[in-house]
Amino acid sequence: MTSEPRKAARRHPTLKDESLEGEWPTPAWKREFRRKLHAWYDRHARDLEWRRSSDPYRVWVSEIMLQQTQVATVAAYFPRFLAAFPTIEALAAADEHDVLRLWEGLGYYRRARQLHRAAQIVVREHGGRFPADREAVRRLPGIGRYTAGAILSIAFDAREPIVEANTIRLLSRLIAYRGDPRQKQGTAILWKLAEELLPQRGSSRLNQALMELGSLVCTPRAPGCTSCPVSDLCPTNRLSLQEVIPLPKAKPRVETVREALIVVRRGTTVLLRQRQAGERWAGLWDFPRFGVEAANGSLAEEIAEKLTATTGVVAAVAESIATLKHGVTRFRITLDCRWADCISSPRRRAGLRWVRPAQLGDFPMSTTGRKVAKLICECSDE
């Protein structure tokens, strides 16, 4: 079948927008689209571990991990996480410390904390069975409209649409939408299209195929239109608008900042501080860290003052360990890592631990915190 269904395209009666090319998929176009997409997916779908079962728990964990994270990265974490917490009950009963340690390196640690809390809610309110009701799923921490639709459609074959990074791009090109797909009107159009594309049965297969096509073929730059199974149905391909559809996301203004990370020594131990709610990496353990402004001449004085204000520890700032550069969201950070020798410290203070270097591997840390921990262990006599 050729692009004949597209010739009969019509403007959707409830979604009038000047950015739409005046084309809305007809029933015949949608049938042809589904047929071609399914045939392609059957041949090209990746063998991903979380696709080997429709168990709601496995689907849920994978979808949370895949939020803002590459498939290749998740592929390494998913089996380890499921081996440690094979059931919702096991995850609910776990200590948050252990959950965060297994999540270490995936980033966006709020996802892990919300996943843990949600598991406890499922055990307490749903008897350990992941709910199949949309509203009940949406009430769980960390689950928004997209994630709820993904879980319900993949695990229960519910007729729930999915609009995420890959399908935003794919759906925009399928209707040659020139507006901003992230604004209210564009979002409404794409959700409506995603819903209309779903068959009466088989939403799980179609949604996964849509995401797979967007990920592997309909890429942001240099999409593989010559190998795309639906290229003859795509107005963006016909009009050669691949480089301008969808409208690119505005780049955030990058801010350069300077921070200090201090490894305080007391005998054979070093100081760890647990990051607090509202701080970056809340719940993880870290060496005392804070923003600094002083020039090199007075930097040690500023560090000592902020260390005491943050932890109550008085210390003499010593030599440099390393200077690390890394990015967090829109910030580009130069991290000055230094030793300090404890002069005095509070007898007890919540969120502080003195630990031996050999124990650092037991604590969940950020990527830069872990790098410094490894440097410390290399310097340690233990």
Side-chain angles (χ1 to χ4, degrees), residues 258 292-303 336 338:
R258 188 180 181 191
V292 291
E293 299 176 1
N296 287 333
S298 56
L299 181 59
E301 181 180 343
E302 181 184 358
I303 289 173
D336 188 352
R338 298 202 177 195

Side-chain angles (χ1 to χ4, degrees), residues 231-251:
S231 60
D232 63 327
L233 300 176
C234 178
T236 297
N237 177 55
R238 186 175 71 247
L239 298 169
S240 299
L241 296 173
Q242 295 92 328
E243 297 303 316
V244 296
I245 294 177
L247 197 67
K249 184 186 298 186
K251 293 184 179 180

